[in-house]
Amino acid sequence: MNPSVIREILKVTEKPGIISFAGGLPSARTFPVEAFAAACETVLRTDGPAALQYASSEGLPALREWVAGQLPWDVSPDQVLITTGSQQGLDLVAKVLIDQGSTVLVETPTYLGALQAFTPMEPTIVGVQSDAEGIDVDDLAKKAPDARFLYVLPNFQNPTGRTMSEARRQALAEAARATGLPIVEDNPYGDLWFDQPPPKPLTARNPEGCIYLGSFSKVLAPGLRLGYVVAPKAIMPKLLQAKQAADLHSPSFNQRMVAEVLKDGFIDRHVPSIRALYKHQCEAMLDAMRQEMADLDVQWNSPDGGMFLWVRLPAEMSAIDLLPKAVDKGVAFVPGAAFYAADPDPRTLRLSFVTASEEQIRVGIQALAAAIREALA
């Protein structure tokens, strides 16, 4: 096991005056505090003893039913396992599906937390070539034989912010079905689209060949530590055994509060405000990048949702070397190298646009551009 590069960098950003684009934290402005205050009172008044007691490992039935009902394919609540954040879902999948020496396929780059969850099981993690549309299906075909599963984040991926196209999803689903390759689909950001929702999930195209992970962290609050796994019925008993060994069950009080908040269509009223805020923040960062980086050979994408921008520095530059120079100027980011299974691109870095104010974005990008200019001088 290795320390999280991001968590170590976050320690640096705690210095006074640092504008941080480093953390993958949702904006606290989106947390529905009043709704949870009311839910807390209701849960304790109407169901207090049960909320404070041990509970079933599968999760609260009402919450599992809500999850099943929200998904765009036919899902039984029996296929839903409530987890302590979707990060635990990755841990459970790793314990159930990976043996020492197993080949696990991931995007290039991929989510650092997944690499951390998989690595203790001692697999061989292999990166599949990827572009702006997602996984390169031809490269996948070369690497799929004997692989235990493919891990992907099709929607507004962490770290790149990219979204897998409809054509690529269909080709990937067909290739995985033809080769018998299971897909682990992680979708914590799928509801955070700006103008239009992403294409339907990979799991909806082949439910029996996929495990699907979701989270309440980005649409409600990460401090609840609640997520879920949706899996074929054949694998659920093993996932449940792994869950029982890990923590018996996710916090029953939190589950009941979330179920209380979610009833009566709250999420449909709440999430549009998150989308609007994040779209505004993203546009502010893109405007600042265009203005401050115009004379620099810096590349970046324009995401359709989510929380992240992916940046590539000029030739011969290293984001790891740039970071202390940027921190000296009052801005922090995450170097991209940590997100690669192998052969990292040292020129890449991740910027999060959701927690900084519009003014902080302007000042922070200005400082980042100044650090790049100095490094090139």
Side-chain angles (χ1 to χ4, degrees):
M1 292 185 288
N2 296 302
S4 167
V5 173
I6 298 173
R7 292 287 164 180
E8 295 301 312
I9 289 173
L10 287 176
K11 295 177 184 177
V12 176
T13 67
E14 292 172 358
K15 295 180 180 178
I18 297 289
I19 296 173
S20 177
F21 302 139
L25 313 176
S27 171
R29 293 163 60 185
T30 68
F31 299 163
V33 176
E34 292 184 4
F36 274 105
C40 180
E41 191 277 332
T42 299
V43 167
L44 289 176
R45 175 170 45 82
T46 62
D47 211 11
L52 299 176
Q53 183 59 278
Y54 285 119
S56 68
S57 299
E58 292 87 342
L60 185 71
L63 194 55
R64 297 166 72 202
E65 290 169 7
W66 185 91
V67 170
Q70 291 291 307
L71 296 172
W73 70 94
D74 187 21
V75 176
S76 165
D78 292 340
Q79 294 175 259
V80 179
L81 176 65
I82 301 299
T83 57
T84 307
S86 64
Q87 185 68 26
Q88 186 185 53
L90 292 171
D91 179 68
L92 301 181
V93 166
K95 289 174 177 174
V96 170
L97 295 186
I98 299 175
D99 295 315
Q100 185 180 33
S102 301
T103 297
V104 171
L105 304 181
V106 299
E107 297 170 276
T108 301
T110 190
Y111 172 49
L112 173 60
L115 296 177
Q116 285 185 288
F118 301 157
T119 298
M121 300 298 107
E122 301 185 8
T124 299
I125 300 178
V126 177
V128 180
Q129 293 177 19
S130 308
D131 57 24
E133 290 190 64
I135 284 281
D136 182 326
V137 177
D138 291 335
D139 190 51
L140 175 70
K142 300 173 187 175
K143 297 170 178 175
D146 299 321
R148 197 55 62 89
F149 62 84
L150 167 68
Y151 169 74
V152 288
L153 296 97
N155 299 325
F156 323 125
Q157 191 226 33
N158 182 359
T160 65
R162 70 188 173 207
T163 300
M164 192 178 296
S165 67
E166 168 61 30
R168 193 67 61 87
R169 290 177 197 232
Q170 193 58 33
L172 173 57
E174 291 172 2
R177 185 185 292 110
T179 58
L181 176 68
I183 293 177
V184 176
E185 180 176 15
D186 198 358
N187 189 29
Y189 309 102
D191 290 321
L192 305 182
W193 46 270
F194 296 156
D195 296 315
Q196 61 183 13
K200 68 179 181 180
L202 294 163
T203 308
R205 303 160 200 262
N206 184 21
E208 289 302 307
C210 300
I211 296 175
Y212 182 87
L213 306 179
S215 174
F216 294 106
S217 292
K218 309 304 186 294
V219 295
L220 290 177
L224 297 164
R225 304 312 304 130
L226 287 181
Y228 50 89
V229 176
V230 181
K233 291 182 180 180
I235 200 173
M236 281 300 292
K238 287 299 177 185
L239 290 170
L240 181 59
Q241 289 170 21
K243 169 70 174 174
Q244 291 168 343
D247 64 359
L248 302 184
H249 64 84
S250 298
S252 54
F253 178 65
N254 292 11
Q255 291 186 60
R256 289 170 189 272
M257 281 206 302
V258 167
E260 178 68 22
V261 166
L262 290 175
K263 71 180 187 182
D264 302 325
F266 173 83
I267 205 75
D268 296 327
R269 301 188 300 273
H270 176 63
V271 172
S273 65
I274 305 177
R275 294 178 189 137
L277 174 63
Y278 287 3
K279 180 182 179 182
H280 179 75
Q281 300 292 93
C282 182
E283 290 174 346
M285 183 168 280
L286 290 171
D287 288 344
M289 293 288 288
R290 284 189 286 265
Q291 183 172 338
E292 300 296 336
M293 308 283 184
D295 60 333
L296 299 170
D297 184 24
V298 175
Q299 301 168 335
W300 62 89
N301 62 342
S302 181
D304 297 320
M307 299 165 53
F308 305 111
L309 217 64
W310 189 241
V311 179
R312 197 159 187 254
L313 298 170
E316 310 303 324
M317 282 196 69
S318 163
I320 293 175
D321 293 340
L322 178 65
L323 180 59
K325 297 180 176 66
V327 170
D328 287 343
K329 293 188 177 299
V331 63
F333 57 83
V334 179
F339 297 97
Y340 289 80
D343 302 319
D345 184 345
R347 296 165 58 185
T348 56
L349 60 94
R350 189 192 75 179
L351 300 176
S352 173
F353 48 79
V354 302
T355 55
S357 68
E358 195 170 347
E359 175 64 12
Q360 286 175 321
I361 289 173
R362 184 187 66 79
V363 173
I365 296 299
Q366 191 175 56
L368 179 59
I372 294 172
R373 287 190 185 92
E374 282 190 13
L376 290 171

